[in-house]
């Protein structure tokens, strides 16, 4: 077996990716492996764009946000956006070219750090002879395989910090402060950050919200003498009978871009009440900056687990965190369905017990 490992980061970036890369390089090097970074996700596999990753290259990156390898959420080899000489974009299947480049790289295997989209592509590439092992990352924490993904805890911390800050200004101005957080179609960031920061209303994508309930709960609070409220809205929420708020529709090469749920809610509250409403969209702030200690640790453990899986030739497996332990699960199971907040689960129960309005 060759003593060379490939590694790439795919999809949206998040804090902790560099910690995972650092861990893979340090551990694999101790086993006598050389590590090759593939740049910008599967784009680097298609274009044969790589970078050597000696130990010296990963020094000092453990605590840095982003990814030194670059990433892309538009580099699916099976639906790849290619620009022709006329400047027009067409979608092509370049997976055979990627597979051929993989063979040329003479790798013992490829470690793919990504969310459900990237792991799904990796799983498909296995049928083309690419030997993959997965590390789960996404601030959305929506992978069924694992209780925690890299980046999620940091995103929650960032959201809590921001909502704490909104609290004081909401109180000074007697305002309703809406905070829109990311998470795609899962409400993990909204629910956890909302509870941890003492929000009055939390709206999640898992259940369509009833605007009447939201307004009734704000009225009740304000009639009881409190003149401000914090409302946390996940970007993927939609009102009963309505659709998702979108910034851009999806196409063959990219998922739809969510955004605007907070502003839409503000419009509805403003139209029906006299409250002074402001909206903050946290956006990519949740994805940038220093990873929390938990994410660094998780990423480091996942890095070691992935190298172990690769050396043991357990391909098609994804490192996962379950019940306080690092385990591995099959890639197809890991991507089979999204992990979402349960309507009758413990978080919803906790929120309801505290009198937090959930809109359903
Ligand atoms: O999946 C991570 C995520 O940050 C989602 O929460 C969000 O909807 C999306 O990516 C944003 O993607 P982009 O970086 O393409 O705007």
């Amino acid at each position: 077996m060759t003593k060379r490992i490939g590694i790439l980061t795919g999809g949206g970036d998040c804090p902790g990716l560099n910690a995972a890369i650092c861990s893979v390089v340090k551990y694999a090097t101790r086993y006598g492996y050389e590590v090759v970074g593939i740049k910008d996700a599967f784009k680097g596999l298609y274009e044969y764009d790589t970078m050597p990753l000696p130990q010296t290259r990963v020094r000092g990156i453990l605590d840095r946000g982003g990814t030194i390898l670059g990433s892309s959420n538009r580099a699916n080899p099976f639906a790849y956006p290619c620009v022709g000489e006329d400047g027009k974009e067409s979608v092509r299947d370049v997976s055979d070219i990627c597979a051929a480049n993989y063979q040329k790289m003479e790798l013992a295997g490829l470690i793919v750090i990504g969310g459900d989209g990237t792991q799904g592509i990796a799983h498909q590439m296995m049928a083309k002879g690419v030997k993959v092992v997965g590390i789960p990352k996404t601030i959305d924490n929506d992978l069924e395989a694992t209780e925690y993904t890299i980046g999620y805890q940091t995103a929650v911390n960032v959201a809590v910090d921001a909502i704490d800050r909104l609290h004081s200004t909401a109180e000074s101005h007697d305002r309703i402060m809406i905070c829109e957080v990311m998470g795609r179609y899962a409400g993990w960031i909204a629910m956890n950050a909302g509870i941890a920061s003492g929000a009055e209303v939390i709206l999640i994508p898992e259940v369509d919200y009833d605007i009447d309930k939201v307004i009734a709960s704000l009225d009740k609070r304000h009639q009881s003498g409190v003149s401000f409220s914090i409302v946390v809205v996940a970007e993927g929420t939609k009102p009963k009978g309505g659709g998702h708020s979108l910034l851009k529709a999806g196409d063959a090469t990219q998922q739809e871009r969510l955004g605007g749920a907070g502003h839409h809610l503000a419009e509805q509250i403003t139209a029906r009440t006299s409250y002074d409403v402001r909206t903050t969209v946290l956006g990519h702030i949740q994805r940038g900056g220093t990873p929390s200690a938990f994410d660094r640790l998780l990423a480091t453990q996942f890095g070691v687990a992935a190298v172990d899986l690769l050396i043991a030739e357990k391909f098609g497996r994804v490192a996962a965190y379950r019940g306080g332990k690092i385990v591995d699960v099959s890639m197809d199971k890991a991507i089979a369905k999204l992990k979402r907040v349960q309507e009758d689960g413990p978080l919803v129960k906790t929120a309801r017990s505290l009198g937090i309005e959930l809109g359903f």
Side-chain angles (χ1 to χ4, degrees):
M1 192 160 88
T2 67
K3 294 278 248 179
R4 189 180 303 120
I5 291 176
I7 183 168
L8 64 80
T9 47
D13 72 343
C14 66
L17 294 176
N18 282 328
I21 296 166
C22 181
S23 165
V24 166
V25 171
K26 278 189 176 169
Y27 186 49
T29 308
R30 292 192 63 214
Y31 266 100
Y33 281 81
E34 173 194 343
V35 183
V36 178
I38 295 169
K39 284 157 93 173
D40 302 325
F42 290 98
K43 182 168 183 262
L45 200 56
Y46 172 52
E47 295 179 357
Y48 208 114
D49 191 5
T50 63
M51 63 193 270
L53 288 176
Q55 287 235 31
T56 48
R57 183 63 189 85
V58 297
R59 224 166 258 156
I61 68 164
L62 175 74
D63 61 343
R64 271 178 49 197
T67 160
I68 58 165
L69 299 177
S71 194
S72 169
N73 52 15
R74 262 200 108 197
N76 179 354
F78 298 91
Y80 200 85
C82 297
V83 182
E85 277 171 17
D86 56 1
K88 287 203 182 124
E89 198 176 277
S90 63
V91 179
R92 282 177 51 202
D93 182 342
V94 299
S95 57
D96 286 335
I97 298 171
C98 291
N101 284 343
Y102 169 83
Q103 297 302 344
K104 274 189 223 150
M105 288 175 195
E106 296 185 340
L107 302 174
L110 176 62
I111 295 177
V112 171
I113 310 178
D116 64 320
T118 306
Q119 302 296 345
I121 294 167
H123 187 247
Q124 273 182 283
M125 288 304 294
M126 279 183 64
K128 305 240 166 204
V130 179
K131 296 173 178 171
V132 292
V133 162
I135 292 181
K137 70 86 219 177
T138 164
I139 64 161
D140 306 336
N141 202 35
D142 57 358
L143 272 176
E144 186 67 35
T146 180
E147 285 163 27
Y148 295 109
T149 49
I150 299 171
Y152 162 66
Q153 281 252 344
T154 307
V156 171
N157 290 347
V158 169
V160 168
D161 181 52
I163 300 164
D164 285 348
R165 288 166 195 277
L166 288 176
H167 242 115
S168 57
T169 173
E171 193 166 2
S172 307
H173 287 272
D174 298 339
R175 280 176 173 159
I176 293 179
M177 287 291 189
I178 297 176
C179 182
E180 181 185 307
V181 297
M182 281 186 166
R184 225 181 266 283
Y185 307 108
W188 298 108
I189 298 177
M191 203 61 167
N192 284 279
I195 294 174
S197 60
E200 281 70 50
V201 179
I202 304 172
L203 304 181
I204 55 173
E206 283 78 358
V207 193
D208 295 355
Y209 68 86
D210 180 343
I211 187 65
D212 292 336
K213 285 190 165 214
V214 174
I215 290 177
S217 84
L218 293 173
D219 284 344
K220 193 171 160 210
R221 177 173 158 89
H222 287 235
Q223 279 153 15
S224 75
V226 189
S227 58
F228 70 96
S229 292
I230 298 289
V231 179
V232 178
V233 188
E235 62 177 357
T237 51
K238 50 189 172 71
K240 265 188 176 170
H244 285 122
S245 297
L246 293 186
L247 294 175
K248 194 168 181 271
D251 58 32
T253 65
Q254 205 173 24
Q255 281 190 304
E256 62 187 12
R257 273 179 64 205
L258 295 166
H263 288 294
H264 182 57
L265 178 68
E267 279 164 19
Q268 294 177 82
I269 297 173
T270 306
R272 296 178 44 172
T273 70
S274 56
Y275 300 129
D276 197 14
V277 187
R278 295 290 186 276
T279 306
T280 301
V281 180
L282 284 190
H284 293 80
I285 288 172
Q286 294 156 100
R287 292 224 317 243
T290 314
S292 66
F294 179 89
D295 273 331
R296 294 181 201 190
L297 209 55
L298 187 69
T300 302
Q301 288 178 287
F302 279 166
V304 168
V307 172
D308 279 338
L309 286 170
L310 199 143
I311 290 173
E313 299 191 36
K314 286 172 131 192
F315 300 114
R317 310 288 296 176
V318 180
Y321 179 97
R322 285 184 175 178
K325 292 199 180 100
I326 304 296
V327 296
D328 58 272
V329 297
S330 76
M331 212 168 242
D332 52 347
K333 282 216 183 94
I335 54 171
K337 85 176 201 316
L338 286 185
K339 182 181 70 188
R340 303 180 82 201
V341 176
Q342 286 166 1
E343 227 178 287
D344 52 358
L347 277 174
V348 168
K349 186 171 178 290
T350 301
R352 288 209 192 286
S353 308
L354 298 176
I356 297 172
E357 178 58 54
L358 299 172
F360 63 91

